[in-house]
Amino acid sequence: MKDNSIQSGVPTRSLAIRQIFWEAVIVGAIGAAFAFAANQLSPLGLALTRDYFPAGSAHSVRPAANDRLPNTFGTNAEILSPAQFLAAQMKEKGLQLLDDSQAARLFRDPRFKQDIIVFVDARDEEHYQQGHIPGAYQFDPYHPEKYFDTVLPVCQKAEQIVVYCNGGDCDDSESAAILLRDVGIANQKLYVYGGGITDWTTNNLPVETGARNSGNLRNMNK
Amino acid sequence: MKLSQTSRSRITVDTSAVLARWLLGAGFLYLGLSKALDPVGFLKLLRQYDLTQSSLLLNSMAAALPWFEVFCGLLLLLGIAVRGTALTLMVMLVPFTGVVLHRALLLQAVQNIPFCAVQFDCGCGSGTEFICDKLLENCLLILLAGWLLAGHGRQSSLRFNLIKSSPR
């Protein structure tokens, strides 16, 4: 049987390549339009012009606990431990870093009960519900508009505000602190608890699940 | 007898190609949706690659890529513009695999562990994975896309070629 594909209109190789190329261009163009429209319509969609990371560049690779990092912060020491590196990074952004014992001390301070000392949890709803520092206010820096009404008046009255997230790689606490500073909360009141909820639970400190002041206290390690 | 064997193997290839198209389509639909439902999580993961300093560009990538994958997945499942879609996916997959590999090498150097022990969430939509598994998975996806690009998977497709060739 004779192959009459060319006569019947099956394209030659170069024509086929061109067709595939233009098909890909059309798919790309319609796909991009679809994608941006879907993002716009989605209630979870991102605002394209917003700076979601006011804290600056990503910690692209997490240093190991025993790593020594080059000092780029203008202090005298040439090599910094991860904790010193984090503290220097915070200082560069105008933020103050708290360690585990300082955070625990503020939590036990009687002024905490009076909202003179306030804890702010910079994680998302799901993680907050799973367990947060008892009495901490939620303030997700990726959806700040949802929380400003509750958190801003409290922060304005407070004398010390401790912002935390997961700890380690997480810099959402820095973003949240910078957002609060940008809307007028005094910088000297803002502290970032670098160890975050990970160190908090590791130190067997109490954790509250569900909503703020739900009374459901537990120790996440038990 | 020889003809029937040939046609049988052709049927097997055709059926496998359709299954490959559906597999690739369903895969991209799943991976795209899992990212589209957590765009902030995807944005954070994408940021770790340090691809750009422009927040507009980063946000645009994080906003559009998941839905773009969903779109391509649907086209493959339905069998519309299959070769164009396969080419588009390859154009996305090849550089992204390179970027993932680069990050894995960086992590390996920092953590000082064997390459295949490197484990991280690459932002692909499948969570934390060992790098060797991820690279194998991406190679498989690229091969499947390449197979479709070669013109296989025509059966059960709504409009395999979006652009019809004009008869000469």
Side-chain angles (χ1 to χ4, degrees):
Chain A
M1 194 173 163
K2 194 184 170 190
D3 182 6
N4 59 352
S5 58
I6 292 177
Q7 288 90 329
S8 66
V10 173
T12 59
R13 178 172 285 211
S14 67
L15 184 59
I17 291 170
R18 247 183 298 163
Q19 273 184 0
I20 295 168
F21 171 76
W22 284 113
E23 206 170 79
V25 171
I26 292 169
V27 167
I30 299 175
F34 168 85
F36 283 112
N39 174 68
Q40 202 67 34
L41 294 173
S42 166
L44 302 168
L46 297 172
L48 300 185
T49 52
R50 220 184 103 188
D51 181 8
Y52 284 95
F53 305 104
S57 62
H59 308 170
S60 58
V61 178
R62 181 185 182 175
N66 56 355
D67 279 345
R68 310 297 290 178
L69 301 157
N71 184 353
T72 54
F73 296 99
T75 54
N76 290 332
E78 280 183 7
I79 300 291
L80 302 174
S81 71
Q84 288 170 320
F85 187 81
L86 187 62
Q89 218 174 26
M90 294 284 176
K91 197 176 171 190
E92 199 183 35
K93 291 168 189 167
L95 298 170
Q96 303 160 86
L97 184 67
L98 284 188
D99 62 23
D100 293 346
S101 61
Q102 289 168 318
R105 204 179 315 129
L106 287 175
F107 177 73
R108 292 191 196 102
D109 192 309
R111 292 177 299 161
F112 173 58
K113 300 279 180 209
Q114 301 154 17
D115 268 358
I116 296 170
I117 295 169
V118 166
F119 277 70
V120 172
D121 188 313
R123 297 171 305 148
D124 62 19
E125 182 73 31
E126 189 189 341
H127 288 99
Y128 180 85
Q129 294 283 334
Q130 281 171 4
H132 52 265
I133 294 178
Y137 289 86
Q138 195 198 350
F139 181 66
D140 180 352
Y142 299 98
H143 305 282
E145 61 288 343
K146 277 171 68 178
Y147 305 96
F148 271 141
D149 285 349
T150 315
V151 172
L152 266 188
V154 178
C155 288
Q156 277 157 351
K157 285 180 196 154
E159 286 174 9
Q160 281 174 302
I161 302 155
V162 181
V163 192
Y164 70 91
C165 56
N166 277 329
D169 269 348
C170 173
D171 56 4
D172 294 341
S173 49
E174 293 168 50
S175 295
I178 289 170
L179 270 176
L180 289 172
R181 188 173 67 188
D182 288 348
V183 294
I185 304 298
N187 199 37
Q188 64 269 22
K189 297 203 289 189
L190 288 165
Y191 297 86
V192 172
Y193 172 29
I197 198 76
T198 307
D199 278 10
W200 187 266
T201 51
T202 305
N203 292 331
N204 290 323
L205 290 161
V207 167
E208 182 179 51
T209 56
R212 181 175 177 269
N213 289 339
S214 65
N216 300 325
L217 295 179
R218 68 182 172 90
N219 186 319
M220 286 173 92
N221 279 352
K222 285 180 182 171
Chain B
M1 182 68 184
K2 198 183 174 189
L3 185 69
S4 93
Q5 266 182 349
T6 312
S7 57
R8 206 179 303 153
S9 73
R10 194 190 179 104
I11 289 168
T12 310
V13 170
D14 287 347
T15 310
S16 307
V18 172
L19 289 176
R21 175 162 64 78
W22 287 344
L23 182 71
L24 197 62
F28 271 95
L29 190 64
Y30 170 77
L31 294 174
L33 277 178
S34 63
K35 284 179 270 194
L37 295 175
D38 181 18
V40 166
F42 181 52
L43 178 71
K44 287 186 200 176
L45 291 170
L46 206 56
R47 176 183 173 232
Q48 296 190 353
Y49 289 103
D50 281 331
L51 294 172
T52 172
Q53 294 301 311
S54 157
S55 58
L56 176 68
L57 204 57
L58 186 69
N59 294 348
S60 299
M61 282 194 281
L65 274 176
W67 290 110
F68 191 80
E69 288 180 6
V70 169
F71 179 75
C72 290
L74 285 173
L75 289 184
L76 287 182
L77 280 175
L78 297 171
I80 299 169
V82 173
R83 288 187 294 179
T85 308
L87 177 61
T88 309
L89 289 179
M90 282 180 84
V91 166
M92 279 165 54
L93 275 169
V94 171
F96 187 66
T97 305
V99 169
V100 169
L101 175 65
H102 178 259
R103 180 159 168 76
L105 289 169
L106 209 64
L107 287 170
Q108 185 202 8
V110 168
Q111 295 170 358
N112 201 18
I113 52 175
F115 181 69
C116 283
V118 173
Q119 197 183 11
F120 67 105
D121 188 342
C122 63
C124 314
S126 46
T128 302
E129 275 186 276
F130 285 105
I131 184 62
C132 290
D133 295 346
K134 186 66 224 170
L135 291 177
L136 272 175
E137 191 185 301
N138 276 18
C139 288
L140 181 71
L141 292 176
I142 291 167
L143 283 175
L144 287 179
W147 199 25
L148 297 178
L149 185 60
H152 296 280
R154 278 172 198 269
Q155 276 68 30
S156 311
S157 60
L158 282 181
R159 188 167 173 153
F160 190 82
N161 294 313
L162 198 63
I163 304 167
K164 297 281 184 194
S165 58
S166 53
R168 297 192 168 194

